[in-house]
Amino acid sequence: MSQLSNPSQALLRQREQLSGRILLCSPPADAITAELRQTGAEVSVLSWDHTAVNACRNAVAEERLFTDLALPADAQWDQVALFMPKAREMLDLMLSVAAPAVKRAQHIWLVGEKREGVESAAKRLAKEGWDATKVDSARHCQVWQLTPAKDWRPKQDEFWRAYELTQEKVDALQLFTLPGVFSAGRLDEGTQVLLESLPELHGRRLLDFGCGCGVIGTTLKKRYPKASVELTDINLLALKSAARTAEANGAELNIYASDGLAEVQPGVDAIVTNPPFHQGVKQDTRITQQFLRDCARVLKPGGSLTLVANRFLPYPDWIEAHVGPVRVLFENSRFKVYHAVR
């Protein structure tokens, strides 16, 4: 059980009822799929997390890994287990995408940590007519059994949000986001000050790391139309959002999943990023620390890094340790924009 997260361990306490064909929605990047297979269950996975999908590959056949915004209409599962995502709208989207399975399943489980809102999510569904019963509480987690409201209908088309961004040096951009994507529905202040502070970038290969809906990468392509601009994120919903943003703005971008910089080839001339420092509700700078270590591999000598961060985070020391001397391009009471050349 040491390889299992708390939510996975809480779900496995229902082991006697977990059998047949099971669809896991948004499972953690742990060994939950392998554990369930040992019980004789046939496991499928619906996930938009690149790391979690990769963690499942050894235990789940490729044809039973789903990462799109739709499931096969004729697919059937006996049970559905939903792991509480980080945002309420992500749960609603997951339910809507998994609707064919949810409507036919014998059991629907909702599991998650208390501090991540599993109880409030279950109670909200109950107010919307679902039958929601708490069946277990362990390891700071809760497990609920759900039955859809009789009049429940998926509402997937309602989840896209669109907004316009006006900037000085490029035409107005049309941005599209899905739930759980950073800066969904509006531009966050950190990215705004980063875009306003961008120095002149050099080279032909530019990278937007942690691209979200694609605002940085699309801006770079508009400013440097001859450059090859790459966008990476671990969140597959972010990549779908970035792809729609690129299409709406006529921008030809190379958009792909990467766990940090692991899947980025060396030879990048400039990286521009508003990097994450949270994992769910927890502050966690390990992603950025690993990213900065990997910049030495990915950036060309003379390549640049431009990064925005909350001013309380100790990024200058980390940047200097792995990239080079740091310049502060902008600062206010909340943010600093750093620039360094390898």
Side-chain angles (χ1 to χ4, degrees):
M1 299 285 272
S2 61
Q3 297 181 1
L4 293 174
S5 63
N6 284 343
S8 291
Q9 292 185 51
L11 179 65
L12 282 177
R13 285 165 59 91
Q14 317 306 315
R15 188 186 297 265
E16 292 184 1
Q17 298 185 68
L18 294 170
S19 60
R21 295 164 298 181
I22 303 176
L23 176 65
L24 298 183
C25 297
S26 197
D30 61 14
I32 181 62
T33 50
E35 287 284 340
L36 287 172
R37 281 193 64 192
Q38 290 182 13
T39 69
E42 180 185 288
V43 182
S44 301
V45 170
L46 171 63
S47 177
W48 300 309
D49 183 293
H50 181 57
T51 302
V53 170
N54 283 339
C56 293
R57 290 194 187 278
N58 290 333
V60 178
E62 195 69 28
E63 64 269 18
R64 293 205 296 271
L65 281 175
F66 304 101
T67 60
D68 213 336
L69 292 175
L71 290 173
D74 58 348
Q76 294 193 18
W77 288 274
D78 303 307
Q79 304 192 51
V80 176
L82 299 120
F83 288 84
M84 186 64 198
K86 61 184 179 181
R88 163 185 165 171
E89 281 193 328
M90 274 191 73
L91 175 61
D92 292 338
L93 177 60
M94 185 69 73
L95 286 167
S96 290
V97 172
V102 169
K103 289 179 178 179
R104 299 169 184 155
Q106 298 169 9
H107 293 101
I108 305 167
W109 309 90
L110 177 64
V111 58
E113 296 195 32
K114 296 176 186 176
R115 63 180 172 180
E116 293 186 340
V118 63
E119 183 170 17
S120 61
K123 290 182 176 179
R124 176 179 62 83
L125 289 172
K127 290 180 180 178
E128 294 173 6
W130 290 57
D131 179 44
T133 304
K134 184 168 67 175
V135 296
D136 199 5
S137 183
R139 294 194 166 273
H140 311 292
C141 298
Q142 293 180 354
V143 181
W144 292 72
Q145 271 201 347
L146 306 174
T147 303
K150 291 182 179 180
D151 59 350
W152 176 69
R153 295 289 183 274
K155 50 184 179 180
Q156 184 177 334
D157 292 341
E158 301 175 15
F159 291 104
W160 281 104
R161 294 184 184 178
Y163 62 103
E164 184 175 277
L165 173 64
T166 302
Q167 303 180 74
E168 288 186 3
K169 297 182 181 180
V170 299
D171 294 336
L173 298 182
Q174 300 299 317
L175 305 174
F176 291 86
T177 60
L178 285 165
V181 175
F182 181 67
S183 205
R186 61 176 180 81
L187 186 67
D188 66 286
E189 183 184 349
T191 301
Q192 181 176 344
V193 299
L194 172 64
L195 293 175
E196 292 172 352
S197 307
L198 277 181
E200 189 69 23
L201 301 177
H202 304 283
R204 295 293 301 273
R205 191 172 164 213
L206 312 179
L207 174 66
D208 174 4
F209 167 74
C211 66
C213 71
V215 58
I216 294 174
T218 305
T219 296
L220 293 177
K221 187 65 176 179
K222 292 296 184 180
R223 292 191 186 185
Y224 304 99
K226 294 182 179 180
S228 173
V229 181
E230 300 173 26
L231 288 74
T232 69
D233 207 295
I234 205 168
N235 181 352
L236 302 184
L237 293 180
L239 301 183
K240 296 178 193 302
S241 300
R244 185 163 178 182
T245 292
E247 181 181 11
N249 294 282
E252 186 176 338
L253 305 172
N254 183 10
I255 302 169
Y256 58 95
S258 181
D259 190 347
L261 293 176
E263 284 127 299
V264 178
Q265 295 300 310
V268 174
D269 293 291
I271 300 174
V272 181
T273 180
N274 182 356
F277 69 97
H278 283 94
Q279 286 275 41
V281 297
K282 307 170 189 173
Q283 182 175 314
D284 187 348
T285 58
R286 288 175 297 177
I287 295 173
T288 301
Q289 291 185 62
Q290 183 62 52
F291 158 73
L292 292 171
R293 285 192 288 268
D294 290 344
C295 279
R297 175 185 67 83
V298 169
L299 278 173
K300 286 180 179 178
S304 68
L305 168 68
T306 309
L307 177 153
V308 65
N310 291 74
R311 63 178 300 127
F312 67 83
L313 294 169
Y315 282 10
D317 291 342
W318 299 342
I319 296 171
E320 292 202 349
H322 301 293
V323 181
V326 176
R327 267 197 310 139
V328 176
L329 301 180
F330 171 87
E331 64 179 301
N332 61 17
S333 60
R334 295 189 60 200
F335 297 100
K336 285 188 176 184
V337 177
Y338 302 107
H339 183 74
V341 176
R342 178 172 177 251

